[in-house]
Amino acid sequence: MSISHNLSQLYQQIQQVSQRANRPQNAVKLLAVSKTKPVEAIEQAISAGQRVFGENYVQEGVEKIAYFAERKDLEWHFIGPLQSNKTRLVAENFDWIQTVDRLKIAQRLSEQRPAELPPLQVLIQINISDEESKSGIAPEEMLPLAKRISELPRLQLRGLMAIPKPESDPAQQKIALQQMQRLFQTLQANFDGIDTLSMGMSDDMQTAIECGSTMVRIGTAVFGARDYKG
C-alpha cells in the first residue's frame, strides 16, 4: 500500500473514532513519526497532505528539517528522549518538543532558542505507567514542573505527552489513558494555553481518542515497517 493510501485510511479512522466518541471534527491531529525513514517517504506524505512530523533522533531530525527548509508549512516535533548536550540543536531547529521531563532541559532549551524564532512549543512527558525503562516524570511532579516551565521566556507550555505501557486489552489501556486525561484537565485548570494531549500510537489510537487525546503519533501504519539503525 502507498503512503498516500495509508494516510487516507488513518485520517478516516481518526474521524470515525472521534465521531463515535462525540469529539469535534478535526479535534485530533495525526503526527507522522518519520524516524529512520528517508526524505523520499516524507515527500510522499507531504504530497498526500501530511504536514506534522515527529523525529526521535536529534541529528537525523535536524538533517531532514534542513532538507525541507523551504517548506514553511511543515511542523517538526522532537519526540525522543533528550540529553542536555543536544538541547541546542532541538532549540534551534524544531517547532515542538514533546519529551521535557527535567527543569534543567527546559532551562537550556529556553536559553538556546533563537530570538528570531517563535517560542518552542513544549509538552511535559508523564511516565504514566511508572516504567523504569521510560522517560517522563511522575504525575505528582507535573504542576511544579509546569509552573517553572511557564516562567521561561522562550518556551510555550502546551500540554502533556505519554507512552503508556502496551496493553492488548482496551479496558486495561483505558486505565492509564484516563489518568492522563485527568492530569491534562488539571493542567488546563491551572495554566492558560493548554490544548495538546499527545497520546495514542498504532495499538491504542482508538482508546486514546476516546480518552481525549488531541494528537496521535503514528509511524508504521503511515510509512511501513522501520529499518532500525544498527
Side-chain angles (χ1 to χ4, degrees):
M1 292 294 179
S2 69
I3 288 170
S4 173
H5 177 268
N6 293 346
L7 281 166
S8 175
Q9 293 285 99
L10 280 164
Y11 295 148
Q12 206 173 341
Q13 281 175 32
I14 289 167
Q15 287 301 340
Q16 286 169 350
V17 177
S18 298
Q19 220 168 4
R20 286 201 300 272
N22 294 317
R23 303 280 307 280
Q25 195 173 8
N26 302 322
V28 183
K29 193 180 277 191
L30 170 63
L31 182 147
V33 180
S34 46
K35 67 175 180 182
T36 78
K37 290 299 173 185
V39 291
E40 293 77 15
I42 297 172
E43 282 173 333
Q44 289 177 46
I46 293 169
S47 297
Q50 181 64 23
R51 296 292 180 269
V52 187
F53 296 92
E55 290 287 331
N56 287 58
Y57 308 115
V58 176
Q59 198 60 51
E60 180 190 341
V62 167
E63 287 167 11
K64 288 174 181 174
I65 292 167
Y67 181 87
F68 290 104
E70 298 301 309
R71 295 292 309 237
K72 303 301 181 192
D73 57 337
L74 303 184
E75 189 175 282
W76 293 94
H77 292 235
F78 186 73
I79 59 172
L82 182 60
Q83 298 163 311
S84 53
N85 64 344
K86 299 275 180 72
T87 53
R88 183 175 294 280
L89 286 170
V90 170
E92 291 179 348
N93 292 279
F94 283 84
D95 303 303
W96 287 66
I97 175 167
Q98 298 204 8
T99 50
V100 171
D101 61 359
R102 280 171 289 157
L103 179 60
K104 178 187 173 184
I105 293 286
Q107 287 169 330
R108 288 175 67 92
L109 289 167
S110 181
E111 288 162 9
Q112 294 166 344
R113 182 69 169 175
E116 68 273 13
L117 292 180
L120 183 64
Q121 309 300 295
V122 169
L123 301 183
I124 294 173
Q125 183 174 356
I126 306 288
N127 188 348
I128 196 64
S129 304
D130 193 24
E131 293 178 272
E132 281 186 23
S133 61
K134 292 222 178 104
S135 304
I137 60 168
E140 60 271 18
E141 298 174 61
M142 177 187 74
L143 286 176
L145 181 58
K147 183 177 188 305
R148 299 298 299 274
I149 290 172
S150 70
E151 293 164 352
L152 294 171
R154 303 296 300 139
L155 305 183
Q156 176 67 51
L157 181 62
R158 295 288 292 273
L160 303 176
M161 177 267 218
I163 309 169
K165 184 177 167 187
E167 300 280 2
S168 53
D169 176 12
Q172 286 298 312
Q173 288 176 353
K174 195 166 269 192
I175 293 169
L177 294 167
Q178 285 178 329
Q179 274 182 283
M180 282 302 303
Q181 185 176 27
R182 289 192 291 273
L183 286 170
F184 181 62
Q185 289 164 346
T186 299
L187 196 66
Q188 284 184 311
N190 283 273
F191 296 91
D192 294 331
I194 304 299
D195 58 7
T196 303
L197 178 55
S198 172
M199 63 182 191
M201 298 187 282
S202 297
D203 293 339
D204 60 354
M205 179 180 87
Q206 180 168 332
T207 316
I209 292 171
E210 290 167 359
C211 293
S213 172
T214 69
M215 184 178 292
V216 291
R217 307 181 305 273
I218 310 292
T220 305
V222 174
F223 295 108
R226 292 195 188 97
D227 301 317
Y228 281 100
K229 294 173 175 175

